[in-house]
Amino acid sequence: MAAAIAETRPYPNNRTVAFILADAGIASHVVVDGKPLQGACGWSGELGYTMVPVSGRVKKLDDLASSAAILREAKVSAEVFLRKLEKHDAQAASIIQQAGFYFGLALTNIIHLYNPDVIVIGGAAAQYPGYLERAITIAAQYTLQDLFQACRIETAREGHRSVAIGASEYAREQLAFV
């Protein structure tokens, strides 16, 4: 939630803003009219636990599209994987295309469920060349066009600093109420 605080605040004039962190796992956070959408336990948005049918089995989105899933499939470190992508390695590109496909379906679901004005995407997986491009192409293909056209998709402004900045803002707000 901390990263979402930092990344959704720059959009105060939008009715519905969704933040998706595509990192070791995939999480989402939705803000409606300036207020976070919270579930019965005070939070919501475990997007990575969305169940996806794959070859007759059910898998979590986390296991298909997160940075951890990408590196597990590639069997290399993030640094080595990035170098492979830079060299246009076919296997690395294929992994990104597949992960981007599943992430694109998740974007489609977020758009259909919440009809956001803006989706902000951050995290390590979103930094891999080709990942977001593939995801946006898939979302455009499978989303109702009126909803897709009404939604801007942007990358996180704060990058790897999102969690720290959001946590700081949250703490400052909580201290103001003491």
Side-chain angles (χ1 to χ4, degrees):
M1 182 169 97
I5 290 170
E7 296 295 350
T8 59
R9 292 233 168 116
Y11 304 94
N13 298 323
N14 294 101
R15 179 146 201 267
T16 307
V17 180
F19 173 69
I20 302 174
L21 185 65
D23 211 87
I26 299 177
S28 63
H29 184 78
V30 177
V31 175
V32 179
D33 293 328
K35 295 185 172 126
L37 180 63
Q38 297 180 327
C41 297
W43 64 277
S44 64
E46 191 53 65
L47 187 60
Y49 272 74
T50 299
M51 299 299 139
V52 181
V54 178
S55 302
R57 299 179 64 201
V58 176
K59 294 189 174 193
K60 295 183 299 189
L61 182 64
D62 275 349
D63 296 332
L64 299 167
S66 68
S67 61
I70 290 167
L71 296 177
R72 194 169 36 253
E73 179 73 19
K75 298 178 178 77
V76 296
S77 69
E79 296 78 18
V80 170
F81 189 68
L82 276 170
R83 282 196 300 272
K84 287 182 170 217
L85 286 172
E86 289 168 1
K87 293 178 181 178
H88 305 288
D89 178 85
Q91 180 193 19
S94 175
I95 291 169
I96 287 298
Q97 290 296 300
Q98 190 70 14
F101 171 81
Y102 288 112
F103 190 70
L105 294 179
L107 289 177
T108 296
N109 291 333
I110 291 290
I111 294 168
H112 286 152
L113 288 170
Y114 301 108
N115 188 21
D117 303 277
V118 181
I119 296 176
V120 181
I121 302 170
Q127 301 302 310
Y128 289 130
Y131 180 87
L132 281 182
E133 295 84 349
R134 173 73 165 159
I136 292 168
T137 298
I138 293 302
Q141 181 178 349
Y142 291 104
T143 303
L144 293 170
Q145 285 306 296
D146 289 348
L147 297 182
F148 185 79
Q149 295 300 321
C151 179
R152 290 189 331 269
I153 299 174
E154 300 187 5
T155 56
R157 295 175 181 198
E158 300 299 341
H160 66 278
R161 302 177 324 144
S162 295
V163 173
I165 290 170
S168 174
E169 288 180 29
Y170 180 77
R172 188 177 22 240
E173 285 175 5
Q174 295 306 304
L175 290 172
F177 289 113
V178 175

